[in-house]
Amino acid sequence: MEDKCALLKKWINESSSIVFLGGAGVSTESGIPDFRGKGGLYRKKSAMPLEIALSHEFFMAHPEEFYQLVRPFMARKEARPNQAHIRLAQLEREGRLKYIITQNVDGLHQKAGSRNVLELHGNDSSFFCMNCDREYPAVDALASSGVPTCACGGILRPGIVMFGEPLPFGSFDRAAQAIANAEMLIVAGTSLVVYPAAGLIDYYKGDKLALINEQPTPYDREADLIIREKVGEVFAKV
Ligand code: OAD
């Protein structure tokens, strides 16, 4: 572990154009559960599995059940950035890190001070009316129980990308471009099984692909360095 962290640190110090691609595992050390990791949300037994509930089709057909199931995981205001978020923001300020590409919707990178954050799956801090598109802060939308509605009577939806929906316009192309131009790519806290996000790795052309993940991923063979530790602990060392 120490040798691998030392190599990661060396690469970071040598690179002037780093891109970070992350997933739910980046926020577990902030107390937000991931989906497929050890204590992941998709591993919990329930009558309606969360991976089905988090789809556009389910939301449209059963908005009451959707909100019952996902409300506990949304807009967790008490969550604070961990060492991974904090160090990444610092690397951006130093001019080394060019982009953070995240599948997370929790806004913790921005809370830590990062500016160039591409959110592939949206953000749960805002809700939108399905009828008139009016925007509501999550705290207001989630203030009362049941299905939140707009002043116009329309149903509110969270600003996240659900299964069966396209990524925010242009976000994939911008992410692919950033990765194609990167000298170093750090991928962390993602199982790399959800597309199109996982496929972004194929755009990397360099020879410094560092993968930090507790569990193996389908892209391990592509990596130039694999660290199977907690991402926050690793960043605290580098
Ligand atoms: P996953 O839950 O699929 O993967 C998280 C990975 O991070 C797992 O392999 C864990 O072992 C690892 N992990 C957890 N905590 C870690 C830590 N502290 N340090 C290092 N590794 C850690 O999350 P994603 O890959 O982000 O999409 O999932 C992708 C998408 O699937 C999500 O954005 C979400 C979900 O369905 C939508 O909701 C559309």
Side-chain angles (χ1 to χ4, degrees):
M1 160 80 163
E2 295 311 319
D3 285 357
K4 289 187 169 189
C5 282
L7 183 58
L8 181 69
K9 189 173 176 175
K10 180 173 177 288
W11 284 359
I12 289 174
N13 287 335
E14 286 169 0
S15 304
S16 55
S17 140
I18 304 168
V19 169
F20 179 86
L21 170 64
V26 176
S27 294
T28 52
E29 287 160 89
S30 294
I32 299 179
D34 64 6
F35 300 95
R36 300 173 187 83
K38 284 177 220 152
L41 294 172
Y42 292 168
R43 289 177 181 252
K44 298 203 184 343
K45 294 239 180 322
S46 70
M48 173 52 62
L50 200 60
E51 59 264 59
I52 294 175
L54 274 174
S55 69
H56 179 81
E57 203 183 343
F58 186 84
F59 173 69
M60 295 305 283
H62 310 284
E64 302 83 11
E65 287 96 322
F66 174 89
Y67 274 107
Q68 256 169 29
L69 286 162
V70 306
R71 189 181 278 273
F73 313 117
M74 284 194 166
R76 298 166 61 108
K77 290 280 159 270
E78 76 280 12
R80 294 279 165 265
N82 62 50
Q83 282 302 312
H85 302 106
I86 292 166
R87 281 291 294 143
L88 285 164
Q90 208 172 322
L91 287 172
E92 186 187 89
R93 284 196 295 277
E94 289 168 11
R96 294 178 193 285
L97 185 85
K98 300 303 176 198
Y99 275 103
I100 288 174
I101 302 163
T102 182
Q103 298 164 84
N104 297 348
V105 298
D106 54 38
L108 286 181
H109 286 296
Q110 293 90 328
K111 243 188 202 174
S114 290
R115 288 168 187 270
N116 290 328
V117 184
L118 280 172
E119 293 176 311
L120 295 176
H121 294 164
N123 193 301
D124 68 6
S125 63
S126 292
F127 283 60
F128 298 88
C129 175
M130 302 280 292
N131 185 39
C132 71
D133 215 29
R134 182 169 163 187
E135 184 176 348
Y136 289 82
V139 273
D140 296 346
L142 297 173
S144 52
S145 58
V147 178
T149 51
C150 177
C152 80
I155 287 178
L156 300 189
R157 60 155 296 160
I160 62 169
V161 175
M162 300 181 211
F163 282 111
E165 293 181 331
L167 301 190
F169 182 74
S171 63
F172 184 88
D173 289 348
R174 279 199 290 151
Q177 184 77 51
I179 289 178
N181 292 333
E183 197 179 328
M184 177 177 186
L185 176 63
I186 305 175
V187 180
T190 170
S191 57
L192 294 172
V193 296
V194 173
Y195 285 81
L200 280 168
I201 293 186
D202 296 331
Y203 289 83
Y204 180 60
K205 300 191 214 98
D207 58 1
K208 286 178 189 149
L209 168 50
L211 190 46
I212 309 165
N213 209 65
E214 282 189 313
Q215 292 170 326
T217 80
Y219 280 87
D220 284 6
R221 261 185 301 164
E222 316 281 327
D224 301 298
L225 171 65
I226 297 179
I227 303 181
R228 237 181 266 307
E229 303 288 338
K230 287 196 189 307
V231 58
E233 290 176 10
V234 171
F235 271 99
K237 285 183 191 151
V238 302

